[in-house]
């Protein structure tokens, strides 16, 4: 059997009602030299039946024996992948039909030093399908320093050389949040990034009334920071992280703790204009807490 050029991996848990949409968006791709690996993280719902009902020989279904979390599910798919490139899609998001085609074409123009091609995406309301906003790609080449400051890449838009995971490692299951960010940052140590200046995916935002799970997010973010020493050793970069965590705590209903983080941030780098601009941007965002939560991936 010939190897597919791209291995698409969809990790899923208990979202049978959304999974079919994600799978359909892959099967409708104009570029068709791919395999689709659906990794079921021991879902208690009818996920097996949903996958079985789709008759397409490119689908490979893997079911984990016990619920192990998103990073383990993704890593399982990566280990089983046969393609030269890896594309990740969460079970509640979807791709536009030309997503793989334009990114493969971009890779054909690039040298081996480029490990990732990403693109733009729409934020879409799960409730009514309304487009809430969009994020355009903005950095390319050596993006390591930019990724130290912010996770500007949407996970449903990346096309990654499989060799990147051999060099940078797999997703870290010990992180309770920021697993995507950690992975992109580790890849950026070794490879350059490029992008297609197109909207290639829809990133769905769920509900507007759910509060932050800060017991999960903050420890994960702090572990992520401690893991990447280039963050903590630069006061300006570290102040960005502290202020963002502080504002998220405030928005999540813990203003006392949040203000302590913001205070530490200002004390660490009082003349960091970028920090104040980021604070204002987050504070003035009229979209919901759940919207920000989705952007920051802390529920992954």
């Amino acid at each position: 059997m010939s190897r597919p050029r791209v291995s698409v991996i969809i990790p899923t848990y208990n979202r049978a009602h959304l999974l079919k949409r994600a799978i359909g968006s892959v099967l409708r791709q104009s570029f068709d030299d791919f395999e689709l690996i659906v990794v079921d993280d021991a879902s208690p719902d009818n996920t097996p039946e949903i996958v079985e009902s789709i008759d397409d020989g490119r689908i490979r279904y893997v079911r984990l024996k016990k619920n192990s979390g998103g990073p383990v599910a993704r890593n399982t798919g990566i280990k089983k992948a046969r393609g030269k490139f890896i594309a990740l899609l969460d079970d509640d998001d979807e791709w536009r039909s030309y997503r793989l085609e334009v990114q493969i074409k971009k890779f054909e123009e690039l040298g081996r030093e480029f490990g990732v091609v990403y693109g733009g995406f729409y934020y879409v309301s799960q409730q009514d399908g309304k487009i809430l906003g969009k994020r355009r790609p903005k950095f390319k080449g050596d993006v390591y320093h930019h990724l130290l400051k912010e996770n500007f890449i949407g996970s449903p838009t990346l096309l990654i050389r499989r060799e990147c995971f051999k060099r940078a490692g797999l997703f870290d299951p010990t992180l309770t949040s920021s697993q995507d960010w950690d992975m992109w940052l580790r890849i950026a140590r070794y490879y350059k990034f490029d992008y297609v200046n197109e909207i290639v995916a829809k990133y769905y935002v769920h509900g507007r009334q759910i509060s932050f799970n800060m017991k999960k997010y903050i420890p994960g973010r702090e572990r992520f920071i401690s893991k990447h020493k280039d963050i903590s050793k630069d006061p300006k970069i570290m102040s960005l992280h502290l202020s963002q965590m502080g504002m998220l705590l405030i928005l999540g209903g813990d203003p006392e703790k949040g203000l302590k983080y913001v205070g530490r941030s200002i004390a660490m780098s009082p003349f960091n204009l970028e920090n104040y601009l980021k604070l204002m941007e987050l504070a003035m965002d009229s979209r919901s807490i759940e919207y920000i939560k989705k952007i920051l991936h802390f529920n992954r």
Side-chain angles (χ1 to χ4, degrees), residues 169-197:
L170 298 172
F171 287 89
D172 186 350
T174 68
L175 291 174
T176 57
S177 68
S178 307
Q179 302 102 332
D180 289 356
W181 195 351
D182 169 65
M183 188 72 255
W184 316 152
L185 190 52
R186 283 188 281 128
I187 292 175
R189 288 176 179 167
Y190 305 106
Y191 295 90
K192 292 181 179 180
F193 287 44
D194 206 337
Y195 60 74
V196 292
N197 195 24

Side-chain angles (χ1 to χ4, degrees), residues 8 15 30 57 75 82 96 103 119 125 155 165 249 300:
V8 180
R15 280 180 173 164
S30 54
N75 291 343
R82 297 181 297 124
R96 305 190 83 180
Q103 290 181 301
S125 168
S155 61
F165 295 105
L249 280 163
R300 297 302 187 197

